[in-house]
C-alpha cells in the first residue's frame, strides 16, 4: 500500500507537529512521537541505537518509552516521529522497534524550549532558549527562521550569532520536512539520509520530478523501488519517465555484468520483462540522449563515461602501437633466461607497447625483473604499478623497485575530484609496467592511458586465462586479439615450478582436467589437498576443521595468512553465510550486549568500492582495529582509515570472499569452497583463478563433482564492447 496524494502533500505539515503521543495504529505498525530524553546505547558501528522517549502515548510504558533501531546520530532533545512495532524483550521488557524515523519541529512553547536548549542548535543553551521563547512565544521558531534580525532584541545575541542560529534552525526544519516526505514514500532511514545528503533541500522536488533518475544516482534504490515511489506520486505506468528509468536501469545492469554498453535488442527485451512499454524505447532513447544521459552508436547504448573511456583507450593504445620502433641494445642479460624471456626483454626495448602473458610457473616474475633491469641499465625512468595493493606489493618484491597501485600512481586529488596525473601532467617515467593487467577494466585503463607521456614504453603483464575484470570491458584480451602490438606468451613451466601441485593443478584445469591433489593424510609434503563433502553443513564443518589444522600443522594464521574463497555471495555456502560462521569461530563476541553488531575489533574486512578520498579501493583487505564513538577504524597495509556509520556499507567481512574479489591478490594459503550450490557459476576461469591465488598451500573443500564440472566448463566471458573493432580501425 502506498500513501495517497493527499497524505503526501500533508507530510511537510506533519513534520512540524510537536505533541508527544501515539499517532495511530493499524494492528501491525504504529507511529509514536515525542522528545528523545536520553540515548541509552549506541552500537559501535552506529547501526543500532536504544533511546528513551518522553511520550504521552498509550503504548507500553506510557509517558516513558524505549525505542530501538537504526536511528543514525539521533541526540537527546530531538523531537522525533517513529514508525515501527512494539516488541517484548525477555530482559529489557517492551521496546518499540523502529523501521523509520523523522526528526520533527516542536510547536509548543515547552517543546521549543527543550528543543532549542538541547544543544542541537549551536549557540543556544537552556538559559538562552528560555529567554528566546519568553520573548517570542509560539512564534519563536518562525521568528528565528524568517526574521533573524529580531533575535538581537534578546540580550546576549549579536548579529553574527543571530545569523548562525537562524541558519541552524532553517537547516533542521528543511531536514525534518524532507525526511518526513521521504519516509512517507516508504524509504528507510539510510536511504533517506543518502538522498538528503546528495540533494539537500531540493530532495522533495527532485524525487517528485523523476524518481527513476534518483534511483540511478542513489545506491540502494533500484527500479522496483522507484516504481513504488512513482506509483505513490501518481506517475502512470506508461509515463515516458518510467520508460527512461527502465532504459537507465537496464544499461546500468549491463555494466554491472561487465558490458561496456547494452544493445537496443537487450533494452527492448529487458523493458518487456520489467512490464514497461517497449514501443516507447526510441522516444526514451531520444530524450535520454538529449539530456546527455546516454550515448547511442548504431545499436549500442553506452553510459557517456564508458563511451568516452572506450574511445580514449582505443586511441591511446593505437598511438602507442603505431609509434616508430626504437632500437636500443640490451646491456644486461640474465643467463638463466629462456629464449622466449629474452625476446620479451628485447621487445620492451624496441616497441612502445608490449603484452607479456603466461600462466603460473612460466617465469613472468623473472621476465619482469629482467625488463626492469634492462631499462634501468639504460638509465630510463621506471614506474611499476598494479590494480591492487597486494599485487603492487608483490611486484615491488619481485622487481626490486617500488611499485604503486594504479590509483596512487595517478595521484588522486580530493580537492579537485580528479587525478593529478593525466594528459596535462603525465606520469614521470619512460617505462610504465603494469602487472595483473587482466584486471584492468575500461574505466581504469582509460585513466591510466590518459597519463602516459609521449615516447614512453608501456608493458602490460597479465594472465588472460583468469577471470575477466570485475568492471566493464576486457581491454587486455581485446588488445591481444587485435594483434596491433607484440605479445610474448610464456608457455614453458620451469622445473622448480613443476614440483608444485598447485602449478600442475592450474595447468591441468586449463586443459579441462581436475587438479591432481596430494593424497589425504600426507604430512609435511604436498601443497594441494582435496577434502570431500557434499552436504553444505558438513562442508562448513570441514572448512572450520581445515583452518584450525592449517594453523597447527603449517603455522598459518587463519586470518592473516589464509583466504577462504567461494564463487557466490548468497546461498548456503556463500560469503554471507561463511563470514557469519567464521567470525563467530575466529573472532567471537567479547562483550555481552543485547544488540547486534556488524563488525568487531579484529575482524578481517574488505573494501567494496573505490573511495578516492579515503585512498582505499575495491578489493583492499584490512583489519578492524577499534570501534569507538560511532567510528570504525580499519587498518589497510599499515594505514588507518575511518568509517562513520553511514560509510560502513563500503566494507564487508572478508573471512570468506568471492573468487572475483580476490583477483590480483596472492596469499600464503587458500581454501576454495566449491559445491553444486554454485552450479551456475562453476567454470574453468573461476577455478583457475582461485588455484593461482595461493603461493604455498591450497585446500579444496566440497563436492569433487562440482570441481570437475568447473574444470570442464570452458565458459567464455563475452562482453559488449567495441574496443577490438576500434583498434582494428586505427591500426
Amino acid at each position: 500500500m502506498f500513501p495517497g496524494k493527499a497524505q503526501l502533500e500533508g507530510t511537510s505539515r506533519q513534520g512540524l507537529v510537536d505533541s508527544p503521543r501515539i499517532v495511530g495504529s493499524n494492528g501491525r505498525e504504529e507511529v509514536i512521537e515525542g522528545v528523545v530524553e536520553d540515548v541509552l546505547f549506541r552500537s559501535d558501528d552506529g547501526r543500532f541505537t536504544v533511546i528513551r522517549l518522553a511520550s504521552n502515548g498509550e503504548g507500553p510504558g506510557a509517558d516513558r518509552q524505549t525505542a530501538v533501531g537504526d536511528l543514525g546520530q539521533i541526540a537527546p532533545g530531538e523531537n522525533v516521529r517513529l514508525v515501527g512495532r512494539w516488541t517484548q524483550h525477555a530482559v529489557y521488557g517492551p521496546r518499540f522497534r523502529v523501521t523509520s524515523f523523522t526528526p520533527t519541529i516542536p510547536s509548543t512553547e515547552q517543546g521549543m524550549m527543550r528543543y532549542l536548549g538541547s544543544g542541537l542548535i549551536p549557540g543556544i543553551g537552556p538559559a538562552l532558549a528560555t529567554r528566546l521563547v519568553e520573548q517570542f512565544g509560539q512564534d519563536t521558531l518562525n521568528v528565528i527562521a524568517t526574521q533573524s534580525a529580531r533575535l538581537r532584541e534578546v540580550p546576549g545575541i549579536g548579529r553574527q550569532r543571530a545569523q548562525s542560529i537562524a541558519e541552524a534552525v532553517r537547516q533542521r526544519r528543511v531536514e525534518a520536512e524532507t525526511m518526513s516526505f521521504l519516509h512517507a514514500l516508504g524509504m528507510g532511514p539510510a536511504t533517506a539520509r543518502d538522498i538528503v545528503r546528495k540533494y539537500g533541500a531540493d530532495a522533495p522536488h527532485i524525487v517528485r520530478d523523476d524518481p527513476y533518475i534518483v534511483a540511478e544516482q542513489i545506491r540502494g534504490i533500484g527500479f522496483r523501488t522507484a516504481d513504488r515511489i512513482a506509483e505513490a506520486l501518481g506517475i502512470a505506468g506508461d509515463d515516458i519517465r518510467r520508460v527512461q528509468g527502465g532504459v537507465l536501469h537496464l544499461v546500468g545492469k549491463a555494466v554491472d555484468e561487465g558490458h561496456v554498453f547494452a544493445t537496443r535488442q537487450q533494452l527492448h527485451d529487458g523493458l518487456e520483462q520489467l512490464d514497461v512499454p517497449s514501443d516507447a524505447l526510441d522516444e526514451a532513447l531520444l530524450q535520454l540522449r538529449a539530456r546527455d544521459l546516454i550515448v547511442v552508436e548504431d545499436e549500442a547504448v553506452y553510459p557517456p563515461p564508458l563511451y568516452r573511456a572506450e574511445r580514449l583507450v582505443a586511441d591511446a593504445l593505437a598511438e602507442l602501437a603505431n609509434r616508430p620502433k626504437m632500437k636500443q641494445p640490451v646491456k644486461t642479460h640474465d643467463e638463466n633466461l629462456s629464449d622466449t624471456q629474452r625476446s620479451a626483454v628485447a621487445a620492451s626495448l624496441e616497441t612502445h607497447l608490449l603484452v607479456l602473458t603466461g600462466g603460473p610457473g612460466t617465469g613472468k616474475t623473472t621476465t619482469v625483473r629482467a625488463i626492469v633491469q634492462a631499462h634501468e641499465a639504460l638509465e630510463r625512468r621506471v614506474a611499476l604499478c598494479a590494480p591492487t595493493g597486494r599485487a603492487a606489493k608483490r611486484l615491488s618484491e619481485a622487481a626490486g623497485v617500488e611499485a604503486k597501485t594504479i590509483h596512487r600512481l595517478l595521484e588522486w586529488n580530493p580537492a579537485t575530484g580528479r587525478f593529478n596525473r593525466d594528459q596535462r601532467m603525465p606520469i614521470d617515467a619512460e617505462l610504465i609496467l603494469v602487472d595483473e593487467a587482466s584486471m584492468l577494466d575500461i574505466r581504469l585503463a582509460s585513466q591510466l592511458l590518459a597519463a602516459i607521456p609521449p615516447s614512453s614504453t608501456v608493458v602490460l603483464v597479465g594472465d588472460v586465462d583468469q577471470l575477466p575484470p570485475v568492471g566493464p570491458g576486457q581491454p587486455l584480451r581485446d588488445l591481444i586479439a587485435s594483434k596491433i602490438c607484440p605479445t610474448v606468451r610464456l608457455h614453458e613451466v620451469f622445473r622448480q615450478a613443476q614440483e608444485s601441485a598447485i602449478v600442475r593443478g592450474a595447468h591441468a584445469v586449463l586443459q579441462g582436467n581436475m587438479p591432481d591433489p596430494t593424497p589425504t593424510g600426507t604430512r609435511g609434503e604436498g601443497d594441494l589437498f582435496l577434502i570431500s563433502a557434499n552436504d553444505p553443513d558438513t562442508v562448513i564443518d570441514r572448512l572450520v576443521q581445515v583452518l584450525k589444522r592449517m594453523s597447527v600443522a603449517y603455522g598459518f594464521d587463519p586470518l592473516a595468512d589464509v583466504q577462504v574463497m567461494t564463487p557466490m555471495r548468497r546461498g548456503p555456502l556463500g560469503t554471507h553465510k561463511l563470514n557469519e560462521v567464521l567470525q563467530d569461530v575466529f573472532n567471537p563476541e567479547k562483550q555481552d550486549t543485547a544488540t547486534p553488531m556488524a563488525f568487531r575489533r579484529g575482524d578481517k574486512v574488505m573494501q567494496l568500492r573505490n573511495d578516492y578520498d579515503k585512498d582505499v579501493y575495491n578489493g583492499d583487505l584490512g583489519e578492524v582495529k577499534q570501534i569507538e564513538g560511532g567510528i570504525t577504524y580499519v587498518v589497510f597495509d599499515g594505514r588507518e582509515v575511518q568509517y562513520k556509520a553511514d560509510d560502513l556499507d563500503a566494507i564487508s567481512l572478508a573471512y570468506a570472499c568471492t573468487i572475483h574479489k580476490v583477483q590480483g591478490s596472492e596469499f600464503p594459503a587458500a581454501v576454495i569452497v566449491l559445491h553444486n550450490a554454485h552450479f551456475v557459476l562453476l567454470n574453468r576461469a573461476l577455478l583457475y583463478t582461485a588455484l593461482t591465488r595461493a603461493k604455498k598451500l591450497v585446500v579444496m573443500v566440497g563436492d569433487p563433482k562440482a570441481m570437475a564440472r568447473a574444470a570442464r566448463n570452458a565458459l567464455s566471458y563475452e562482453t559488449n564492447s567495441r574496443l577490438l573493432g576500434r583498434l582494428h580501425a586505427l591500426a
Side-chain angles (χ1 to χ4, degrees):
M1 292 292 293
F2 298 101
K5 186 177 180 181
Q7 289 175 280
L8 292 174
E9 290 174 345
T11 17
S12 60
R13 291 190 293 274
Q14 290 175 0
L16 301 176
V17 174
D18 174 49
S19 53
R21 64 195 184 283
I22 290 188
V23 175
S25 170
N26 59 10
R28 293 189 302 273
E29 272 202 339
E30 298 183 8
V31 180
I32 65 174
E33 292 185 9
V35 179
V36 179
E37 279 200 336
D38 193 13
V39 175
L40 303 175
F41 176 84
R42 179 175 283 122
S43 66
D44 288 328
D45 63 13
R47 294 182 177 181
F48 186 87
T49 302
V50 181
I51 63 170
R52 181 184 292 117
L53 192 72
S55 168
N56 295 333
E58 301 172 356
D63 60 338
R64 293 293 182 275
Q65 297 164 334
T66 301
V68 302
D70 179 358
L71 295 167
Q73 297 303 306
I74 199 168
E78 283 199 83
N79 287 251
V80 289
R81 183 173 185 269
L82 308 177
V83 178
R85 295 176 176 82
W86 284 105
T87 62
Q88 183 72 26
H89 192 278
V91 177
Y92 300 105
R95 305 198 301 180
F96 191 75
R97 183 164 292 276
V98 178
T99 55
S100 68
F101 79 97
T102 307
T104 60
I105 303 299
S107 57
T108 66
E109 291 186 9
Q110 184 178 2
M112 290 182 192
M113 276 188 264
R114 190 182 308 179
Y115 174 75
L116 292 172
S118 66
L120 292 170
I121 308 299
I124 301 182
L128 181 55
T130 300
R131 295 204 304 273
L132 281 166
V133 175
E134 287 175 349
Q135 178 75 18
F136 301 115
Q138 289 195 351
D139 290 334
T140 299
L141 292 179
N142 283 329
V143 168
I144 294 174
T146 62
Q147 305 172 55
S148 60
R150 291 191 59 193
L151 298 184
R152 298 169 67 182
E153 298 173 13
V154 177
I157 298 182
R159 185 178 64 179
Q160 187 172 354
R161 193 178 187 186
Q163 291 175 346
S164 174
I165 291 171
E167 179 59 32
V169 168
R170 284 194 290 264
Q171 184 175 343
R172 299 292 296 187
R173 175 175 287 187
V174 167
E175 180 183 347
E177 294 177 355
T178 302
M179 293 289 281
S180 182
F181 168 76
L182 295 174
H183 285 316
L185 293 174
M187 297 185 197
T191 302
R193 286 196 296 270
D194 285 344
I195 292 175
V196 171
R197 189 182 300 117
K198 182 170 181 63
Y199 302 122
D202 293 331
H205 169 74
I206 292 172
V207 172
R208 284 192 187 97
D209 186 58
D210 194 341
Y212 296 100
I213 292 295
V214 175
E216 293 305 309
Q217 296 178 342
I218 302 292
R219 288 193 314 273
I221 305 180
F223 180 78
R224 295 300 185 192
T225 301
D227 247 358
R228 291 196 295 271
I229 296 171
E231 182 181 344
L233 293 170
I235 296 175
D238 61 353
D239 191 293
I240 192 63
R241 288 173 291 181
R242 183 167 183 258
V243 185
Q244 292 176 27
V247 169
L248 292 176
H249 166 73
L250 292 168
V251 171
K253 182 179 178 183
V255 171
D256 290 341
E257 293 172 352
H259 301 289
V260 184
F261 62 82
T263 67
R264 281 177 182 263
Q265 187 62 50
Q266 288 170 334
L267 295 177
H268 179 278
D269 296 345
L271 289 177
E272 291 194 337
Q273 291 177 4
L274 291 171
D275 196 24
V276 174
S278 58
D279 55 359
L281 173 59
D282 289 342
E283 177 63 23
L285 292 177
L286 282 173
Q287 293 193 20
L288 289 171
R289 192 174 186 177
R291 296 164 64 189
D292 294 324
L293 293 174
I294 59 169
V295 172
V296 180
E297 187 181 71
D298 302 323
E299 295 300 305
V301 181
Y302 288 83
L306 296 190
Y307 178 76
R308 293 190 293 268
E310 187 177 87
R311 292 288 299 268
L312 187 152
V313 169
D315 291 343
L317 290 175
E319 183 182 351
L320 284 166
N322 293 332
R323 282 180 191 164
K325 307 296 184 191
M326 307 177 290
K327 258 298 183 185
Q328 303 215 40
V330 180
K331 290 191 173 182
T332 63
H333 260 314
D334 184 341
E335 294 182 357
N336 296 319
L337 295 180
S338 68
D339 291 342
T340 308
Q341 290 174 312
R342 286 196 179 92
S343 71
V345 177
S348 75
L349 293 167
E350 296 173 355
T351 63
H352 291 281
L353 181 61
L354 171 69
V355 174
L356 175 65
T357 186
T362 58
K364 284 201 308 293
T365 299
T366 302
T367 308
V368 165
R369 187 186 306 118
I371 289 173
V372 170
Q373 291 172 348
H375 284 259
E376 287 184 327
L378 294 170
E379 298 183 348
R380 304 190 80 214
R381 298 187 305 281
V382 173
L384 306 183
C385 62
T388 68
R390 282 178 172 264
K393 183 177 181 181
R394 191 169 68 250
L395 179 59
S396 297
E397 294 168 351
V401 177
E402 181 190 11
K404 300 179 179 179
T405 63
I406 294 173
H407 299 91
R408 291 193 177 104
L409 180 66
L410 296 178
E411 300 175 11
W412 175 257
N413 187 336
T416 62
R418 300 169 55 101
F419 288 111
N420 285 337
R421 298 290 179 176
D422 53 20
Q423 295 97 326
R424 295 165 296 181
M425 191 172 77
I427 300 165
D428 183 21
E430 294 162 291
L431 169 69
I432 299 166
L433 187 145
V434 187
D435 198 11
E436 296 287 355
S438 63
M439 292 184 63
L440 289 175
D441 63 27
I442 202 72
R443 282 180 287 215
L444 187 54
S446 69
Q447 291 162 337
L448 175 63
L449 290 168
I452 301 298
S455 74
S456 63
T457 296
V458 175
V459 176
L460 300 174
V461 183
D463 184 351
V464 291
D465 290 317
Q466 293 183 24
L467 287 167
V470 175
Q474 302 184 60
L476 182 64
R477 189 167 296 185
D478 288 339
L479 176 59
I480 293 173
S482 74
K483 299 182 180 179
I484 67 169
C485 73
T487 296
V488 177
R489 298 177 184 271
L490 302 175
H491 294 289
E492 179 186 355
V493 179
F494 288 89
R495 182 177 302 172
Q496 185 175 357
Q498 289 176 354
E499 297 175 359
S500 167
I502 298 174
V503 172
R504 296 195 306 271
H507 286 278
V509 168
L510 292 181
Q511 300 301 316
N513 300 316
M514 265 286 286
D516 186 14
T518 304
T520 304
T522 303
R523 292 180 177 273
E525 297 180 0
D527 55 4
L528 177 59
F529 296 89
L530 169 61
I531 306 296
S532 178
N534 293 324
D535 177 70
D537 290 338
T538 305
V539 172
I540 291 176
D541 290 341
R542 298 284 190 274
L543 168 63
V544 173
Q545 292 171 14
V546 163
L547 290 171
K548 291 180 177 179
R549 287 175 185 169
M550 291 169 81
S551 174
V552 174
Y554 290 87
F556 289 132
D557 184 321
L559 303 187
D561 299 330
V562 184
Q563 183 59 56
V564 177
M565 292 175 274
T566 186
M568 303 173 72
R569 289 180 296 151
R570 303 192 182 278
L573 293 172
T575 56
H576 293 177
K577 176 63 175 178
L578 296 183
N579 274 318
E580 178 185 329
V581 171
L582 297 177
Q583 183 191 44
D584 285 340
V585 171
F586 294 103
N587 192 26
E589 187 68 51
K590 299 293 193 303
Q591 51 186 322
D592 181 21
T593 68
T595 59
M597 292 181 65
F599 299 108
R600 306 168 186 171
R601 187 168 62 86
D603 273 340
K604 182 178 183 179
V605 296
M606 173 179 280
Q607 176 74 15
L608 299 178
R609 57 180 176 266
N610 292 339
D611 189 325
Y612 299 109
D613 295 333
K614 285 185 169 64
D615 196 21
V616 287
Y617 303 98
N618 190 1
D620 284 356
L621 289 169
E623 180 184 345
V624 176
K625 281 300 182 184
Q626 63 173 332
I627 306 172
E628 185 177 341
I631 305 294
T632 300
Y633 299 84
V634 182
V635 173
F636 294 94
D637 291 327
R639 192 173 59 85
E640 186 177 86
V641 178
Q642 298 181 14
Y643 293 84
K644 296 180 180 178
D646 291 344
D647 300 330
L648 288 173
D649 61 346
I651 57 176
S652 71
L653 293 175
Y655 298 94
C657 298
T658 64
I659 298 168
H660 282 82
K661 280 291 189 182
V662 294
Q663 285 177 263
S665 295
E666 191 174 69
F667 309 94
V671 180
I672 305 169
V673 177
L674 290 179
H675 190 269
N676 278 329
H678 308 135
F679 184 85
V680 295
L681 292 181
L682 296 176
N683 64 77
R684 189 174 298 171
L686 184 92
L687 180 54
Y688 175 76
T689 302
L691 282 171
T692 53
R693 296 310 90 203
K695 292 188 294 185
K696 299 179 180 178
L697 178 64
V698 170
V699 180
M700 297 188 294
V701 180
D703 187 348
K705 292 180 180 178
M707 300 171 192
R709 171 179 168 76
R712 290 194 306 269
N713 184 16
L715 173 69
S716 177
Y717 288 89
E718 299 297 331
T719 57
N720 293 341
S721 169
R722 292 189 166 177
L723 178 59
L724 180 57
R726 297 186 198 281
L727 291 174
H728 280 148
L730 294 168

